[in-house]
Amino acid sequence: MRARRLEELLGIEHPIILGPFGGGLSTVSLVSTVSESGGLGSYGANNLGPEQITGVVGELRAATARPFAVNLWVPQPGERDRPDDLARHVERLRPYYEELGVDPPDLDGPFGQDFDAQIEALLAAEPPVISFIMGVPPERVIAEARRRGIVTIGTAATVDEAVAIEEAGLDAVIASGNDAGGHRGSFLRPAEESFVGTFSLVPQVADAVSVPVIAAGGIADGRGVAAALTLGADGVQIGTGFLVTAESSASPVHRAVLNSPEARITVLTRLFSGRHLRVIPNRFVREMAAFEAEVPRYPFHNALMQPIRRAGTADHSSLLAGQAAALARPRPAKDYFDELVSDTERILRDRF
């Protein structure tokens, strides 16, 4: 599979990276399975406190001797400035709290995790790889990771963001197209001006930077992997395809929707967290569509929505999915990974 500079950088056999699931969807079992299969397992730690991060890295080390990554969100300017009208937003959501029999969150907070405390704990734990989304980490973080021998990966939604990531000194960049499920990571321009499809983004990023490029978004089988590599990517990151595997912690409700015709349709919405998120639309998304632009920013709206999401119903859950979700099939993660490798190698051999 192409020149092996990504594999050499990460110490892996195959240039396939597990997308880091946030919101409690990551599992040590899934991460270690991907790593043991020769890829790079990734764990989404954005919702974890410092002690939990230390514990997760310890569990991952116990589960696999192979490289793995832990992912954090970089804070965006102003996101910790508390809105003055949170009580008004609670009242808008009150019918859903009452329908589900849950209490609204405490408006005194806390709201989200402290990034500085998270990254200090993560650096001290020294995972083989740290990946970031939503921005470029502080210079001191990049320098300390380098001093400790930790590989760093940034996530770009546009070419300009990829250039900024390389200039900051990170070791690789994920070119994350608009096709991807989960949260959008744009940080230089508004999200609405940063929606670029994966197969438009990848070749432009490959031309613009010299570090390894990892394609993400809308890739769920060997055809997608082969296409990404042909367009100039050094590897791929796959999320939704692994979300339906036996080792993920996706709920039965989430799995059922992913494995239904409903998965053919996804939308971008701020309604679940205050940041753009690609999901399969449900009743909550359709009923609240008129308030899309009014919900407060992350992490405040994320906290308001947490009791509703945790109720776990198909009508109210954030059903994360990329635009290739209909290609995903339930199976053990090892079987899926091996199929990705064999199909990609066959396609590249037969066609080129």
Side-chain angles (χ1 to χ4, degrees), residues 309-326:
R309 294 195 309 266
R310 285 183 173 172
T313 75
D315 285 336
H316 305 88
S317 297
S318 51
L319 304 170
L320 281 65
Q323 288 188 323

Side-chain angles (χ1 to χ4, degrees), residues 258-277:
L258 282 168
N259 293 315
S260 77
E262 294 178 63
R264 297 172 187 161
I265 300 172
T266 63
V267 298
L268 283 167
T269 179
R270 295 180 61 245
L271 293 171
F272 287 107
S273 71
R275 282 187 174 164
H276 284 93
L277 175 73

Side-chain angles (χ1 to χ4, degrees), residues 335-351:
D335 292 352
Y336 178 43
F337 189 96
D338 289 346
E339 182 179 292
L340 286 169
V341 173
S342 61
D343 284 357
T344 302
E345 291 177 340
R346 175 181 51 77
I347 291 167
L348 293 176
R349 183 181 62 248
D350 293 348
R351 298 196 178 185

Side-chain angles (χ1 to χ4, degrees), residues 184-204:
R184 301 303 305 138
S186 55
F187 56 90
L188 288 184
R189 300 181 69 85
E192 295 84 353
E193 298 179 19
S194 306
F195 294 151
V196 185
T198 302
F199 292 141
S200 295
L201 180 63
V202 168
Q204 295 181 70

Side-chain angles (χ1 to χ4, degrees), residues 202-222:
V202 168
Q204 295 181 70
V205 171
D207 287 348
V209 302
S210 60
V211 296
V213 175
I214 301 151
I219 301 170
D221 60 16

Side-chain angles (χ1 to χ4, degrees), residues 35-346:
S35 290
E36 287 291 308
S37 299
L40 184 74
S42 300
Y43 195 105
N46 181 62
N47 62 317
L48 303 183
E51 292 183 1
Q52 293 171 300
I53 287 173
T54 302
V56 162
V57 174
E59 290 179 40
L60 289 167
R61 278 214 174 86
T64 180
R66 304 283 186 90
F68 59 85
V70 179
N71 177 267
L72 288 180
W73 290 13
V74 178
Q76 297 190 333
E79 74 174 18
R80 292 290 173 176
D81 298 339
R82 178 189 170 105
D84 295 328
D85 58 349
L86 281 183
R88 178 172 69 87
H89 296 294
V90 167
E91 289 309 308
R92 180 190 297 139
L93 294 172
R94 189 169 297 282
Y96 295 102
Y97 297 136
E98 293 177 350
E99 176 186 350
L100 296 168
V102 298
D103 295 324
D106 185 350
L107 292 187
D108 291 330
F111 295 97
Q113 297 291 341
D114 182 333
F115 175 79
D116 289 335
Q118 287 181 312
I119 193 60
E120 291 306 318
L122 189 53
L123 287 168
E126 296 187 351
V129 182
I130 300 177
S131 64
F132 299 94
I133 191 171
M134 305 293 180
V136 177
E139 183 179 349
R140 61 175 177 80
V141 170
I142 300 169
E144 182 62 15
R146 184 177 297 112
R147 187 186 74 80
R148 292 175 178 267
I150 302 170
V151 175
T152 54
I153 303 174
T155 304
T158 66
V159 175
D160 289 343
E161 290 181 355
V163 171
I165 287 167
E166 179 179 42
E167 290 179 345
L170 281 82
D171 298 305
V173 60
I174 297 167
S176 181
N178 188 42
D179 323 45
H183 281 92
R184 301 303 305 138
S186 55
F187 56 90
L188 288 184
R189 300 181 69 85
E192 295 84 353
E193 298 179 19
S194 306
F195 294 151
V196 185
T198 302
F199 292 141
S200 295
L201 180 63
V202 168
Q204 295 181 70
V205 171
D207 287 348
V209 302
S210 60
V211 296
V213 175
I214 301 151
I219 301 170
D221 60 16
R223 293 171 295 181
V225 179
L229 297 177
T230 303
L231 288 171
D234 296 274
V236 300
Q237 178 172 280
I238 297 176
T240 308
F242 282 107
L243 194 58
V244 299
T245 62
E247 291 83 354
S248 101
S249 64
S251 70
V253 165
H254 197 168
R255 291 175 185 272
V257 177
L258 282 168
N259 293 315
S260 77
E262 294 178 63
R264 297 172 187 161
I265 300 172
T266 63
V267 298
L268 283 167
T269 179
R270 295 180 61 245
L271 293 171
F272 287 107
S273 71
R275 282 187 174 164
H276 284 93
L277 175 73
R278 185 170 290 284
V279 300
I280 299 166
N282 56 11
R283 177 164 68 87
F284 179 82
V285 170
R286 295 185 173 101
E287 289 178 352
M288 293 291 289
F291 303 104
E292 183 72 45
E294 296 183 31
V295 299
R297 70 178 69 91
Y298 176 92
F300 300 97
H301 189 61
N302 189 59
L304 300 187
M305 285 298 301
Q306 194 170 68
I308 294 172
R309 294 195 309 266
R310 285 183 173 172
T313 75
D315 285 336
H316 305 88
S317 297
S318 51
L319 304 170
L320 281 65
Q323 288 188 323
L327 297 174
R329 293 192 294 106
R331 68 191 110 169
K334 179 68 165 62
D335 292 352
Y336 178 43
F337 189 96
D338 289 346
E339 182 179 292
L340 286 169
V341 173
S342 61
D343 284 357
T344 302
E345 291 177 340
R346 175 181 51 77

